[in-house]
Amino acid sequence: MRGLMQGDHLLISSLIEFANKNHGDSEIISRRVEGDIHRSNWATIYKRSKQVARALDRLQIAAGERVATLAWNGYRHLELYYGVSGSERVLHTLNPRLLPDQIAWIIDHAQDQVVCFETTFVPIIKAIHANCPHVKYWIALCEEAALPLDPGLPKVISYESWIKAEEGGSYTWPQFDENTASSMCYTSGTTGHPKAALYSHRSTLLHAFSTCQVDVFGISARDSILPVVPMFHVNAWGLPYACAMAGAKLVFPGPGLDGKSVYELMELEGVTFAAGVPTVWQMLLNYMAPLGVKFSSLKRTIIGGSACPPAMIHAFQENYGVEVLHAWGMTEMSPLGTVCTLKNKHLKLSSEEQMKVRLKQGRALFGVEMKILGDSGEELPHDGIAFGDLYVKGPWVIENYYRNDQESPLVKGWFPTGDVATIDPDGFIQITDRSKDVIKSGGEWISSIEIENIAMSHPSVLMAACIGVAHPKWDERPVVVVVLRPETKLDKADLLGFYEGKIAKWQVPDDVIFVDGIPLGATGKMLKTKLREQLKAYSLPTK
Ligand code: AMP
């Protein structure tokens, strides 16, 4: 028997409609490439996103066509989020940190018809436009007067003039099936061509409902939220949608991602909640510590994207009174899979014991199912000890990649994450490695993340990466590559001694390599493939 409830489709346009009606004056603040701080609100975003929708009609961009953005976090990007998806086109966020050739390949693969870009990225557009035959319109996110005049550019339209032409016109969001594609994001694959996750209106809304929950991001209309996570990668962890659902104030950092800019914006706009990858927070903490400044409004911060070093969780909590929520997810999961929030039973624990829980990547959101499998595909127990390949499923997990000419990535309906993890009896996962980064020594696995975390808890260590190096007897042995904090000294023996008593003897790295920098990928994660390449000529010390 069919239920007798209204079956309205879950569409992204309903979020902006809601935010306009109920939270119209809730602010949207953006640091801009123009250099100033711009103030808008949900009502204005609503109005201008409808202008975007009408302007796309005017260009005769059909439903389902891809409209790309090459932009920082800011109000114009937010208008495109709603204007493009709300009008049944597909928002394609491009990562400007990729190489121009990769960006051109991605635009061509997605067959984008429109590319909206920030003027900061003019050099990229100059380098790629000749290789993007499908693109019909290049739109610069600026006023007419600020249009870049470089002769190496194709014909460029000013975003402000483009949407101004639609001022005063009316627009009704189209209604369509909620499984329609809404946005896409290419994964920052380290091998082969990137692959695209193609999100739907339904997956996006369900993800937003779930992330707003108290035990997840706990977003409310009282929050002032700073997504440092970029809108160009996995939709800034869905925050632009979740904040509309909650009616929260949004504060966008634009291109200002250095410690000073982020700190000043937080203080200026009373930010209560922030989200970012560990590398960004490291820059913030490095800026604040020598000045001795504190946060006056920040209460919680979500850290994810790569393992959050325990030292960072300690620093936020103990030095600044800010709660860290460690989170895990991936492009193929929209991206959120787990968040580390304590349960009632954990409240009785000492703060040291609580910290042990907080260091894990957390427990599943409602909607995400998880299992770990051993080498022969057997399901492993959730005892917090056994580790295996982590598989996930759920309504915001990928079913297949866009234009995938190979087999679906699913195995019996489950998506293999490529991560290796334990799951404890309370459902908390701990990621020990990417499966390709696992170090196998004498038939035993060594977690590179654990080795890195210990190194990074040493006061002289700024960054650490652990990789396996071939060994004639043990197959592989761990080596830790370290960047020291400025003006500090540390020798190999001291760091190796620091591991004593923290892990088993055979897990302690065989060597320490000091370097000036560790290569980072386009999403701020350490690029171990590149690091291994750089250390090709390295051989282990003979003992
Ligand atoms: P991406 O698709 O670029 O967002 O990358 C997803 C991958 O980042 C995951 O499969 C993990 O390997 C890694 N990752 C994300 N969050 C965490 C975390 N909290 N701890 C460890 N690894 C993480």
Side-chain angles (χ1 to χ4, degrees):
M1 192 194 302
R2 223 183 115 83
L4 290 174
M5 305 308 283
Q6 297 179 14
D8 293 5
H9 287 279
L10 301 173
L11 298 181
I12 285 174
S13 55
S14 67
L15 292 172
I16 191 73
E17 281 289 333
F18 175 83
N20 173 54
K21 283 205 187 95
N22 300 284
H23 305 280
D25 63 355
S26 189
E27 284 186 295
I28 310 291
I29 311 297
S30 316
R31 191 189 285 283
R32 305 199 294 176
V33 292
E34 286 89 333
D36 58 350
I37 290 185
H38 177 274
R39 309 193 83 81
S40 181
N41 58 29
W42 281 112
T44 309
I45 299 290
Y46 167 77
K47 194 172 99 232
R48 284 169 50 100
S49 63
K50 285 193 160 187
Q51 287 171 233
V52 168
R54 282 172 54 97
L56 286 167
D57 286 352
R58 194 171 82 233
L59 298 183
Q60 297 189 315
I61 305 299
E65 293 297 345
R66 273 72 64 211
V67 175
T69 57
L70 196 59
W72 301 111
N73 289 7
Y75 67 104
R76 291 177 180 131
H77 207 170
L78 188 64
E79 290 157 10
L80 286 160
Y81 261 55
Y82 285 102
V84 172
S85 303
S87 64
E88 212 184 336
R89 282 103 183 179
V90 179
L91 178 85
H92 176 196
T93 52
L94 292 162
N95 186 337
R97 298 207 181 105
L98 294 172
L99 297 173
D101 279 354
Q102 291 172 314
I103 298 177
W105 185 92
I106 288 172
I107 291 177
D108 195 54
H109 190 259
Q111 305 195 328
D112 298 329
Q113 293 202 353
V114 182
V115 175
C116 303
F117 63 96
E118 210 96 60
T119 50
T120 340
F121 303 127
V122 162
I124 301 180
I125 305 299
K126 272 173 68 181
I128 64 170
H129 74 91
N131 299 327
C132 302
H134 292 286
V135 178
K136 296 180 181 160
Y137 301 100
W138 300 91
I139 297 176
L141 297 173
C142 64
E143 299 281 353
E144 189 79 30
L147 264 183
L149 297 172
D150 197 304
L153 282 173
K155 182 175 181 299
V156 175
I157 300 170
S158 135
Y159 174 82
E160 290 299 335
S161 308
W162 180 55
I163 68 165
K164 195 173 173 41
E166 304 301 335
E167 237 170 35
S170 72
Y171 184 82
T172 307
W173 300 111
Q175 297 297 304
F176 44 85
D177 186 326
E178 65 190 20
N179 289 300
T180 304
S182 57
S183 67
M184 72 197 314
C185 178
Y186 280 72
T187 59
S188 43
T190 43
T191 51
H193 283 305
K195 291 178 275 188
L198 184 60
Y199 311 112
S200 70
H201 286 258
R202 173 186 153 84
S203 69
T204 305
L205 261 87
L206 293 176
H207 182 264
F209 275 118
S210 201
T211 49
C212 280
Q213 290 184 79
V214 176
D215 266 5
V216 184
F217 288 173
I219 292 175
S220 82
R222 293 166 296 291
D223 273 314
S224 168
I225 295 185
L226 178 88
V228 186
V229 287
M231 289 167 81
F232 58 69
H233 186 62
V234 215
N235 301 327
W237 297 351
L239 285 168
Y241 307 115
C243 289
M245 186 173 270
K249 169 177 173 175
L250 261 169
V251 182
F252 288 125
L257 302 177
D258 59 287
K260 180 173 190 285
S261 307
V262 169
Y263 176 74
E264 285 174 359
L265 198 59
M266 280 178 161
E267 289 301 295
L268 213 60
E269 298 303 331
V271 167
T272 56
F273 174 97
V277 296
T279 35
V280 166
W281 295 139
Q282 194 62 58
M283 291 195 285
L284 179 65
L285 295 177
N286 289 350
Y287 168 76
M288 292 174 68
L291 296 179
V293 290
K294 301 278 175 200
F295 295 111
S296 50
S297 54
L298 188 69
K299 291 192 182 68
R300 284 167 301 142
T301 176
I302 293 268
I303 305 187
S306 45
C308 179
M312 187 173 283
I313 301 188
H314 280 289
F316 267 110
Q317 221 141 289
E318 279 142 35
N319 305 348
Y320 300 103
V322 172
E323 185 185 14
V324 169
L325 306 177
H326 194 187
W328 167 86
M330 58 197 313
T331 310
E332 288 88 340
M333 299 180 72
S334 305
L336 217 59
T338 65
V339 175
C340 197
T341 44
L342 301 182
K343 294 184 173 182
N344 179 279
K345 65 197 261 187
H346 297 130
L347 302 179
K348 300 187 203 92
L349 299 177
S350 67
S351 55
E352 229 165 84
E353 291 293 315
Q354 282 187 358
M355 187 54 83
K356 283 191 194 149
V357 182
R358 287 186 185 283
L359 295 180
K360 298 192 171 193
Q361 275 77 3
R363 53 198 168 92
L365 283 62
F366 169 76
V368 175
E369 287 182 69
M370 301 190 299
K371 64 177 181 184
I372 42 174
L373 300 185
D375 280 346
S376 33
E378 77 283 15
E379 200 160 336
L380 298 174
H382 294 189
D383 58 6
I385 299 163
F387 51 90
D389 294 315
L390 178 62
Y391 284 71
V392 291
K393 75 197 293 295
W396 55 84
V397 176
I398 194 171
E399 185 176 74
N400 205 341
Y401 293 104
Y402 172 67
R403 288 184 65 199
N404 181 15
D405 49 15
Q406 287 155 17
E407 266 176 53
S408 148
L410 301 196
V411 181
K412 294 183 187 151
W414 290 75
F415 178 73
T417 62
D419 287 331
V420 176
T422 61
I423 306 180
D424 73 17
D426 293 320
F428 286 69
I429 65 162
Q430 181 144 29
I431 306 283
T432 57
D433 259 306
R434 286 295 291 164
S435 57
K436 57 185 185 311
D437 294 335
V438 162
I439 299 165
K440 258 196 166 162
S441 182
E444 296 286 343
W445 287 16
I446 298 177
S447 159
S448 65
I449 294 181
E450 195 174 9
I451 307 273
E452 288 156 8
N453 281 346
I454 294 173
M456 280 195 277
S457 66
H458 191 287
S460 303
V461 174
L462 182 64
M463 227 175 152
C466 176
I467 54 168
V469 175
H471 187 282
K473 180 168 174 200
W474 304 111
D475 290 336
E476 271 189 320
R477 288 298 302 153
V479 159
V480 64
V481 183
V482 167
V483 182
L484 289 181
R485 288 183 185 281
E487 287 151 42
T488 57
K489 280 202 182 121
L490 181 67
D491 59 36
K492 284 185 188 187
D494 283 344
L495 185 57
L496 294 177
F498 189 66
Y499 281 95
E500 232 167 80
K502 297 190 171 81
I503 43 173
K505 256 199 166 124
W506 59 272
Q507 296 175 325
V508 174
D510 275 16
D511 198 8
V512 180
I513 304 174
F514 293 104
V515 292
D516 292 336
I518 290 172
L520 296 181
T523 52
K525 296 177 213 250
M526 294 191 287
L527 265 189
K528 290 199 184 170
T529 36
K530 201 155 178 196
L531 189 62
R532 281 193 205 99
E533 228 174 86
Q534 288 174 357
L535 297 173
K536 236 178 11 212
Y538 168 85
S539 57
L540 288 167
T542 44
K543 284 199 174 165

